[in-house]
Amino acid sequence: MVHNRLVGKNIIITGASGGIGAEMARLSANYGANLVLLARNVEKLERLKEELEQGTGVQVIVKSLDVADTVAVRDVFNEVLSEIGHVDILVNNAGFGIFRHAHETNMEEIKFMFEVNVFGLMACTSMVLPSMRERGSGHIINIASQAGKIATPKSSVYSATKHAVLGYTNSLRLELKDAGIFVTAVNPGPIATNFFQIADEQGTYVKNVKRFMLQPEYVAKQVVERMMTRTREINLPRWMNAGSMIYALFPRVFERLGRRAFNQK
């Protein structure tokens, strides 16, 4: 059972100050895991730490970290490893997007999306892999997106970053197949979080897809219940993932028939 799998495990969650990051922290703490919560907003982390320690009694460490700063990633992870000894599970959850047409997206925004969504994820992973390999145990969980499978208008850069995450995750899984380390990609559709305050400035996308949005508690539950299991992918919702499978087989037909649905942003 998931309860037994997570008791006493050390879990690092990036982007843990809100949304599915905070919800995964709550569920993991309820199952008896010790937590290291990382995000830029340390005040939110401190409030979450107080809530979890009072409610569950598990150990919670919080540290401010911008994963786009790879030097800071190295320093913070070295601090964490010296404090807790080893990491059982890393959840690379930090990420953001901006929905704009390709010609309207400036290079600063493009670089920053890649620094957070891709380079930061890789930097965090590289900090825990050596000890996981040495111990022959661990789990890397990368929060990607259905946008990494189906690219749509106004998400060219965001989709590119998530395609990169999926490519990295798939390769990593093959590398670690015989090392005792699980690697999971999580590909959710739109989730009702503050992600869209930045991504969807005009609110058009949220208005159009609100009835299809996933709740962060649901997504977090699907992830936490599969921690320390050999799960290749978690695709949510299932009907959207079915679309990505059809897209892979019949891309031209899918793009033609789905054109109206794609232009929701």
Side-chain angles (χ1 to χ4, degrees):
M1 295 178 64
V2 66
H3 306 74
N4 299 325
R5 287 200 307 270
L6 297 187
V7 172
K9 290 292 190 288
N10 295 330
I11 303 177
I12 296 180
I13 303 175
T14 68
S17 59
I20 63 171
E23 295 302 329
M24 286 188 288
R26 291 185 175 99
L27 285 172
S28 299
N30 286 335
Y31 289 139
N34 299 312
L35 297 168
V36 178
L37 307 180
L38 308 176
R40 290 184 296 177
N41 192 324
V42 74
E43 292 181 359
K44 288 184 178 180
L45 291 179
E46 290 288 357
R47 290 196 293 270
L48 182 57
K49 169 185 168 74
E50 182 179 1
E51 171 195 331
L52 298 180
E53 288 185 336
Q54 289 181 354
T56 65
V58 301
Q59 178 188 21
V60 181
I61 297 172
V62 301
K63 292 184 182 293
S64 176
L65 177 64
D66 180 354
V67 298
D69 184 344
T70 54
V71 173
V73 168
R74 180 197 64 198
D75 293 343
V76 169
F77 271 75
N78 280 334
E79 288 178 14
V80 169
L81 290 170
S82 69
E83 292 179 37
I84 67 174
H86 71 274
V87 178
D88 294 295
I89 303 168
L90 169 65
V91 184
N92 284 306
N93 174 64
F96 84 105
I98 298 174
F99 293 160
R100 290 202 183 104
H101 289 111
H103 70 281
E104 296 173 337
T105 309
N106 62 56
M107 285 308 301
E108 286 73 22
E109 292 171 337
I110 293 171
K111 289 178 180 178
F112 194 48
M113 266 189 271
F114 271 92
E115 286 169 351
V116 173
N117 297 356
V118 183
F119 304 146
L121 178 148
M122 292 178 176
C124 292
T125 302
S126 69
M127 291 302 300
V128 303
L129 277 182
S131 62
M132 284 186 176
R133 279 182 169 276
E134 186 176 334
R135 296 176 67 247
S137 176
H139 196 169
I140 305 293
I141 300 174
N142 292 332
I143 308 299
S145 172
Q146 286 294 325
K149 295 187 171 189
I150 303 177
T152 57
K154 296 182 74 175
S155 64
S156 56
V157 179
Y158 180 70
S159 289
T161 66
K162 294 305 183 177
H163 274 77
V165 169
L166 284 176
Y168 177 75
T169 305
N170 291 338
S171 179
L172 195 63
R173 186 183 302 107
L174 294 173
E175 287 182 16
L176 301 174
K177 184 178 184 296
D178 299 318
I181 302 169
F182 305 133
V183 180
T184 301
V186 182
N187 304 305
I191 306 172
T193 68
N194 61 8
F195 170 89
F196 292 101
Q197 292 178 6
I198 296 174
D200 183 34
E201 293 174 337
Q202 297 178 343
T204 305
Y205 183 65
V206 170
K207 181 180 179 181
N208 289 336
V209 304
K210 189 173 183 178
R211 65 187 183 278
F212 300 119
M213 280 186 151
L214 299 164
Q215 294 303 308
E217 297 85 356
Y218 170 75
V219 178
K221 186 173 186 289
Q222 302 308 306
V223 176
V224 172
E225 289 188 346
R226 289 169 176 81
M227 285 180 173
M228 298 306 293
T229 68
R230 193 179 295 279
T231 300
R232 187 180 187 278
E233 289 188 348
I234 300 171
N235 294 290
L236 305 167
R238 291 181 180 178
W239 64 264
M240 187 173 288
N241 187 60
S244 71
M245 296 173 68
I246 296 171
Y247 181 44
L249 294 171
F250 309 104
R252 290 186 181 180
V253 174
F254 191 85
E255 288 176 356
R256 185 175 70 252
L257 296 179
R259 184 176 180 181
R260 181 177 179 182
F262 293 156
N263 286 280
Q264 297 294 315
K265 303 183 186 72

